[in-house]
Amino acid sequence: MVSDEELEEVGGGQELQNLMDTDLFFVDDAQGAPSDEQPSLDFAKDMGEQSEVSDAEDKEEKSEQENASEQSENDEELVEPEPVASTSTSRKAPAWIDSDDTNISVSLADNARLRKLRDTPSDNVVGGREYERRLRRQFERINPTPDWAQKARSKLHPTRQKRRRLSVSSDEEEKMQEDEALGDLLGDTGGILGPRPKKLAPGTLSIERLRDANLAAPSEGAIKAVQFHPSAQIPVLLTASEDRRLRFFNVDGHTNPHLQTVHIPDLPITTALFHPTGTNVLLTGPRPYFYTYDLQSGSASRSPRGLWGTTFSGDQMKEGSMEICAFNPTGEVLAVAGRKGYVHLVDWRSGTGQVVGSVKMNSVVKGVWWARGGAGAELMSLGEDAEVYVWDVGTRRCTKRWKDEGGFGATTITGDRAGQYLGIGSRHGIVSVYGSDAAPTSDSKRPKPLKTIGNLTTSISSVKFNHDSQLLAIASNTKKDQMRIIHLPSLTAYSNWPTFGTPLGHVTSIDFSTGSEYVAIGNSRGRALLYHLRDFAQQ
């Protein structure tokens, strides 16, 4: 017991001495925040009212729980819930039930994302319980229950599986699924047989620098050619350099391991091309003969004699050249630029490398390209005077001839895979981009360029389109860091890359991978720079 003197010392004995008991306590009815007003003096009356209200609320809550339990059992028969890790054979009561669910109403027609929950086109407003049931049904339709879970449920609740009913008949559900699939198909602009292609936006290019592709085996001389394997299943990149070596790398974006090196002592390699079938590689240079490297056997072989059926010795070896060449899309014919305006057609299908025909231009040949058009592909050749010749290979006749508006001093010609664009580079840094009117099947006698790109000021040495004709890479090896990437739909250059700080060096060769996920850039320092285009990354 605490004495009055001790209470007086702590100040707690006299303060509450004159208060009534009803003034010392109040009941919190949870209907709002405690009031600052003085509590009622009729304590017994208030307690009685609170008791009646509490009993009524308990009865109402109990009734709602019973109704919710019945509704839950009904929903349980319509839609099987996810299995619960429990050894009890009876279903546990819900831990919490929101009584407001029975009072809400949801419009299925006004919200586009909820229209798939309608049973009929006239369905609009449903209650909270029905809305929950339809959401569960839609979820199970998209994510069906695994077989192992169904077997476990059947063993755990054999009678419940027998009593389970579907919310709609099988015919109606199948029809709803067909209508939903048709709606998704008609509402999508992508292809039916494959994923929708990525559409690039102009202005900013999402690009990331990776480790050099040839870091595992650097070249001792300038890179002359880089090219990816034509098959998307073979992530192989080749590099040909001034040290007369051909190297292969497995491009994985991380370590890029070195696969093999091939040394060709008697051929200064300037051009290395994968055959369209991907079985071998053609190696050419300032010599009248060529080498082929077979990827299956791993052996390199030289052509048995000169391209024109003669043998050369001494200084005559330098008179012939096969630096400018291109395969047709099937790989059956090889077009080689010769001297005095000749373009020779080599029968590659027979394997002997014999010249089966030739066509002649009026100026020095600067580039050849097989343009897709009509039933196959037609040969296009570019002269030093910027004139373009279109040849019918079967009859050896020129079917069209027109001059590039970019002027004179043309250096290279190339096009895209689909035959939609054609690019012509010149010594003045101008790249003329042509559209469909430059195709061999077009009736236009003098095509007009879509745009003349003047972002570079030195001689164009490389022009390369990506696989889906959205990007165009142009470069010059005369000055350092002379490279741009063009967004073809808008014909504008990307402003964020490359920058003045991008260490490209003197760019000698460019190539995109089969799906444009990577772009390889060879330079005069013997490095094969590798960049990752994030917009084309495989999902």
Side-chain angles (χ1 to χ4, degrees):
M1 295 295 293
V2 181
S3 62
D4 294 341
E5 295 180 356
E6 292 176 350
L7 288 176
E8 290 179 358
E9 291 179 0
V10 298
Q14 305 296 331
E15 294 179 358
L16 306 179
Q17 185 175 6
N18 299 322
L19 294 179
M20 298 180 63
D21 292 342
T22 57
D23 296 338
L24 296 177
F25 305 96
F26 74 93
V27 177
D28 187 1
D29 57 357
Q31 298 297 324
S35 176
D36 295 336
E37 298 179 358
Q38 187 176 1
S40 174
L41 298 178
D42 195 353
F43 180 77
K45 182 179 179 180
D46 292 342
M47 288 296 294
E49 293 177 355
Q50 293 291 341
S51 178
E52 293 176 358
V53 172
S54 177
D55 293 340
E57 288 180 352
D58 291 341
K59 293 180 180 180
E60 183 179 357
E61 183 178 358
K62 183 176 180 181
S63 177
E64 288 179 359
Q65 290 182 356
E66 291 176 355
N67 295 335
S69 178
E70 294 177 359
Q71 182 67 26
S72 177
E73 290 294 332
N74 294 335
D75 295 343
E76 190 176 293
E77 294 178 355
L78 296 176
V79 180
E80 185 71 10
E82 293 297 327
V84 180
S86 175
T87 57
S88 175
T89 57
S90 61
R91 179 178 175 84
K92 292 184 178 181
W96 177 79
I97 296 178
D98 191 351
S99 58
D100 293 337
D101 288 348
T102 58
N103 301 327
I104 65 173
S105 59
V106 181
S107 177
L108 304 180
D110 296 342
N111 193 335
R113 299 179 60 183
L114 301 181
R115 292 174 184 172
K116 63 174 72 70
L117 302 179
R118 296 181 298 177
D119 292 339
T120 61
S122 59
D123 280 355
N124 187 5
V125 179
V126 295
R129 297 296 184 185
E130 178 65 15
Y131 177 61
E132 179 184 358
R133 185 186 66 81
R134 296 193 184 189
L135 285 176
R136 288 179 179 272
R137 182 185 66 188
Q138 180 67 14
F139 177 82
E140 291 190 349
R141 183 180 298 169
I142 299 175
N143 304 281
T145 305
D147 295 337
W148 62 267
Q150 293 181 354
K151 293 179 181 179
R153 289 177 181 176
S154 61
K155 294 180 180 179
L156 187 61
H157 305 290
T159 57
R160 182 179 299 176
Q161 292 294 330
K162 294 180 181 180
R163 293 186 294 106
R164 184 180 180 187
R165 301 192 308 270
L166 296 176
S167 59
V168 293
S169 65
S170 59
D171 295 338
E172 292 179 354
E173 184 176 1
E174 182 178 359
K175 183 178 183 302
M176 289 171 56
Q177 292 178 354
E178 292 178 356
D179 294 342
E180 182 178 348
L182 180 61
D184 294 340
L185 178 62
L186 296 178
D188 191 4
T189 58
I192 298 177
L193 300 180
R196 182 170 54 187
K198 175 71 175 181
K199 297 299 181 182
L200 300 183
T204 302
L205 182 66
S206 180
I207 191 169
E208 177 187 8
R209 184 180 178 181
L210 305 176
R211 296 180 61 181
D212 291 354
N214 65 339
L215 188 62
S219 300
E220 297 180 1
I223 298 289
K224 290 297 184 180
V226 293
Q227 188 181 13
F228 285 92
H229 194 277
S231 175
Q233 286 72 34
I234 304 178
V236 173
L237 173 73
L238 67 80
T239 63
S241 54
E242 281 185 347
D243 56 3
R244 305 192 180 192
R245 284 172 172 81
L246 176 70
R247 296 175 175 86
F248 296 91
F249 300 90
N250 181 16
V251 178
D252 58 4
H254 300 284
T255 59
N256 306 320
H258 173 231
L259 300 178
Q260 193 174 9
T261 298
V262 182
H263 185 206
I264 311 295
D266 60 338
L267 179 65
I269 305 174
T270 58
T271 303
L273 298 175
F274 275 111
H275 191 265
T277 60
T279 57
N280 51 59
V281 180
L282 171 66
L283 305 174
T284 64
R287 298 290 185 269
Y289 54 85
F290 59 90
Y291 273 82
T292 57
Y293 178 76
D294 188 271
L295 297 177
Q296 296 293 333
S297 61
S299 59
S301 59
R302 175 178 165 174
S303 56
R305 54 182 177 174
L307 183 62
W308 297 275
T310 58
T311 58
F312 299 89
S313 61
D315 295 338
Q316 293 179 343
M317 293 286 289
K318 300 181 181 180
E319 295 182 2
S321 174
M322 294 182 61
E323 294 180 87
I324 302 175
C325 56
F327 283 106
N328 72 333
T330 60
E332 298 177 353
V333 181
L334 175 69
V336 180
R339 294 173 293 175
K340 300 179 181 180
Y342 278 95
V343 178
H344 305 284
L345 304 175
V346 180
D347 180 16
W348 198 264
R349 179 173 48 185
S350 62
T352 58
Q354 289 295 311
V355 176
V356 295
S358 300
V359 294
K360 187 178 186 304
M361 301 175 57
N362 294 334
S363 61
V364 178
V365 182
K366 286 297 183 179
V368 292
W369 172 254
W370 292 90
R372 299 179 183 269
E378 298 189 50
L379 178 64
M380 302 182 72
S381 60
L382 175 67
E384 190 178 21
D385 57 355
E387 274 197 307
V388 179
Y389 292 72
V390 181
W391 304 96
D392 184 352
V393 177
T395 61
R396 313 292 195 268
R397 291 189 307 106
C398 179
T399 60
K400 186 188 295 187
R401 177 180 169 185
W402 49 275
K403 191 169 185 178
D404 175 32
E405 289 190 359
F408 61 93
T411 57
T412 181
I413 181 174
T414 188
D416 64 336
R417 301 180 187 177
Q420 300 176 358
Y421 296 99
L422 182 71
I424 299 177
S426 69
R427 292 185 310 191
H428 305 285
I430 302 297
V431 178
S432 301
V433 180
Y434 292 86
S436 58
D437 57 346
T441 56
S442 174
D443 296 332
S444 177
K445 295 182 179 180
R446 188 170 183 178
K448 297 291 183 180
L450 299 176
K451 188 173 182 180
T452 300
I453 301 174
N455 294 82
L456 303 181
T457 58
T458 53
S459 179
I460 301 297
S461 58
S462 301
V463 177
K464 188 68 179 182
F465 292 86
N466 81 319
H467 79 288
D468 60 355
S469 307
Q470 293 193 76
L471 298 177
L472 170 64
I474 60 176
S476 172
N477 59 6
T478 306
K479 293 176 61 178
K480 292 180 62 176
D481 305 332
Q482 294 295 295
M483 177 181 171
R484 295 292 183 271
I485 292 187
I486 309 300
H487 180 253
L488 281 174
S490 63
L491 292 173
T492 58
Y494 284 99
S495 59
N496 68 314
W497 193 90
T499 64
F500 292 105
T502 305
L504 297 178
H506 291 79
V507 178
T508 56
S509 182
I510 307 172
D511 193 33
F512 292 94
S513 61
T514 308
S516 299
E517 184 180 0
Y518 301 104
V519 56
I521 304 170
N523 62 21
S524 59
R525 292 178 293 179
R527 300 176 60 183
L529 307 177
L530 187 65
Y531 288 86
H532 173 52
L533 298 176
R534 298 176 180 175
D535 291 321
F536 296 99
Q538 297 180 359
Q539 300 298 330

